[in-house]
Amino acid sequence: MSWRPTYRSSKFRNVYGKVANREHCFEGIPITKNVHDNHFCAVNSKFLAIVTESAGGGSFIVIPVAQAGRIDPHHPKVCGHQGNVLDIKWNPFHENIIASCSEDSSVRIWEIPDSGLRRNMTEAILELYGHSRRVGLIEWHPTSSGILFSAGYDYKILIWNLEIGEPVKMIDCHSDVILCMSFNTEGSLLATSCKDKKLRVIEPRTGQVLQEANCKNHKVNRVVFLGNMKRLLTTGVSRWNTRQIALWDQEDLSIPIKEEEIDGLSGLLFPFYDADTHMLYLAGKGDGNIRYYEVTTEKPYLQYLMEFRSPAPQKGLGVMPKHGLDVGACEVFRFYKLVTLKGLIEPISMIVPRRPLPRNMPHIVYSTFGSVSYEFVRCFAFSGVVLNSSSLSESDSPSLSVWTVVHAPERLLIYCLNSDVSDVIRHKEEKEIQSKIVVPSDFIQRIF
């Protein structure tokens, strides 16, 4: 019998966390002391938003990501809510649009100027009223622009069409407070965890409950879809009051595929999944560490990799979208850690130990997004067709730009690795045809 190693080889086994230098942190922010189980932080490639402590209503502060350092105590805020702000989320399609929900039973949509706030913003572009009690959760639909989900303490989920400003669907299958919502990659399924100790998989269009699990031995708090693996991961508490994670088959919730105890601490475990690297990050509220695992489709399903440790406890964590990462520095994930006692927001970059990439190296495959690879392609300035880089040679055109293509259902994000163009271009009309990506010719002309 041949000898087999007891460990599983992984190209991400040496991923490590790197805390940003002091000059790249955000200091002097009065982070909210609200005990609601949320992150109170949202970030995209342009702005960082943090829910702040305030009197006489709820507010949050919006800071340009490039404006690090000590923040002015009188920095303008978004302060239109009459109650405490419980959740904030940036629109994944429009980086200047942010949604917020509050104890005043409202959901509001705000538009932040490109230059940031110059004065306090009190007027929202849209105010949504439909819940009878406070609203604790909001989620943007991952593939349909202008669709927002909100969950209130009235045990209902409302689906809002922002073009008309009205709810188009109500999901009322829950019998208690909804703790978490998570979409699959296509947005065709919605997973929820509830205070009634049940885990549900719902079809959002019809509101039909496709799968339901009665979690008696594993009290579910948070749930997340694991990309296109047809798996769910939940964090919660076992019957012995220890923190626990469980892996589920989304098509059969009768019994978890795997359960694993983490530790005996009492803080809520927040799961973060990176579909590109198949890495799972676990961060506990009030902890100073972040554990990370690699998720596989075969046993043992969850492979422990390493742990990032820090002495400062975290109240919440924001996550930078992939197009805002420094790919050249081999950064695969970035957290923004809220340290309440210091009024500090601390960026933490997860780095794969590799030789740093040149900004215009064309023949490196970085990662995957769902079932489509990040491809390095060359773009013809005189044509509307973008070809796969493997079909072009260096002699075809030495002046062509290098592009990274990220494909998601109903959208395609394209951003240039050359130093002369750094903005993210979002376009919804692209279609993937085998190894080619076809875009309108005016899209290319607009860039060049």
Side-chain angles (χ1 to χ4, degrees), residues 254-387:
S254 58
I255 186 171
I257 299 173
K258 180 175 181 177
E259 292 181 341
E260 183 174 326
E261 292 189 4
I262 304 300
D263 54 34
L265 300 179
S266 59
L268 178 69
L269 272 179
F270 292 111
F272 303 90
Y273 180 68
D274 182 2
D276 300 329
T277 60
H278 302 294
M279 288 179 62
L280 171 72
Y281 300 87
L282 295 178
K285 187 175 183 179
D287 297 355
N289 61 341
I290 300 174
R291 299 175 177 87
Y292 36 102
Y293 302 74
E294 185 172 15
V295 183
T296 62
T297 55
E298 301 174 352
K299 290 184 178 181
Y301 302 114
L302 294 173
Q303 181 71 34
Y304 176 78
L305 295 176
M306 209 177 290
E307 180 178 350
F308 167 80
R309 297 192 177 188
S310 170
Q314 57 223 8
K315 181 179 181 64
L317 292 164
V319 175
M320 172 66 76
K322 275 301 176 75
H323 59 266
L325 300 182
D326 186 0
V327 178
C330 302
E331 184 182 28
V332 295
F333 215 73
R334 189 192 303 165
F335 293 101
Y336 284 78
K337 175 180 174 179
L338 276 64
V339 185
T340 308
L341 297 178
K342 300 180 181 179
L344 177 69
I345 310 297
E346 190 177 60
I348 302 172
S349 297
M350 310 307 294
I351 306 293
V352 180
R354 299 287 189 274
R355 182 178 298 175
L357 300 177
R359 287 191 60 84
N360 47 358
M361 176 178 281
H363 300 300
I364 302 295
V365 176
Y366 171 65
S367 186
T368 61
F369 187 96
S371 60
V372 182
S373 296
Y374 280 61
E375 302 168 80
F376 282 73
V377 296
R378 295 191 178 277
C379 184
F380 286 93
F382 52 83
S383 171
V385 179
V386 183
L387 299 179

Side-chain angles (χ1 to χ4, degrees), residues 125-175:
I125 60 173
L126 201 58
E127 297 184 11
L128 309 174
Y129 294 94
H131 290 280
S132 58
R133 298 180 64 184
R134 60 179 174 171
V135 186
L137 293 171
I138 49 175
E139 287 288 344
W140 292 95
H141 195 275
T143 59
S144 296
S145 178
I147 300 297
L148 181 71
F149 285 60
S150 64
Y153 276 62
D154 53 4
Y155 314 156
K156 294 180 176 61
I157 296 176
L158 294 182
I159 306 175
W160 301 89
N161 184 347
L162 301 188
E163 292 183 358
I164 61 176
E166 297 289 339
V168 293
K169 182 71 180 176
M170 181 177 68
I171 301 173
D172 58 354
C173 59
H174 301 85
S175 59

Side-chain angles (χ1 to χ4, degrees), residues 94-110:
H94 305 284
E95 296 202 316
N96 294 65
I97 303 296
I98 187 170
S100 63
C101 64
S102 168
E103 291 181 349
D104 62 8
S105 305
S106 72
V107 177
R108 304 193 184 200
I109 312 298
W110 312 85

